[in-house]
Amino acid sequence: SGASHVIFWWRQGDEYVVGGTYEKPERIEALRAAQGDERTYTSESSLVKIPVDSLEPVATAARSGKAVSLDVPAEYPEFTRAALAKEFLVVSCHFVPCRDGVLEYGTGLDLGE
């Protein structure tokens, strides 16, 4: 149990970009077996840039200085990566503002890992 993924978002100019990621190795293997490729929630999230003035949870957490939690991220309209959350069965995401950016962590549906 515990978090299945962690992403650190750091501000670069007027957007947030991925500075580092972690995904449980067991989850990566389960996704590889189910999908037949190397794509994961964190690898696909690394391709995304989030405007600092958006309503996206990363930007909202950073601006407000308060943590933001999404219980069903795939259904949250302001979540840029809702389709990724649905595709990779991410069931919760939490965004914690830090001095140098925002720490995202979350859980995924059990894939038998």
Side-chain angles (χ1 to χ4, degrees):
S1 75
S4 59
H5 78 269
V6 178
I7 301 173
F8 185 76
W9 296 90
W10 62 281
R11 185 172 177 162
Q12 188 174 50
D14 60 355
E15 56 195 9
Y16 289 96
V17 298
V18 171
T21 67
Y22 173 81
E23 196 147 356
K24 287 172 57 176
E26 300 87 0
R27 186 159 183 83
I28 293 171
E29 288 301 318
L31 286 168
R32 185 178 296 134
Q35 295 179 205
D37 62 27
E38 303 293 317
R39 297 171 62 246
T40 67
Y41 177 74
T42 57
S43 71
E44 296 305 297
S45 292
S46 294
L47 304 175
V48 174
K49 295 180 180 182
I50 299 169
V52 297
D53 59 355
S54 71
L55 296 177
E56 219 278 352
V58 170
T60 299
R63 243 188 342 271
S64 69
K66 296 180 181 176
V68 173
S69 294
L70 304 180
D71 290 330
V72 185
E75 296 178 3
Y76 187 72
E78 299 298 337
F79 188 45
T80 307
R81 295 168 292 131
L84 291 178
K86 182 176 182 177
E87 178 181 356
F88 294 105
L89 306 174
V90 175
V91 296
S92 73
C93 287
H94 308 276
F95 306 87
V96 181
C98 304
R99 190 182 86 193
D100 295 323
V102 175
L103 182 70
E104 173 186 340
Y105 66 94
T107 57
L109 193 66
D110 186 358
L111 298 175
E113 70 263 25

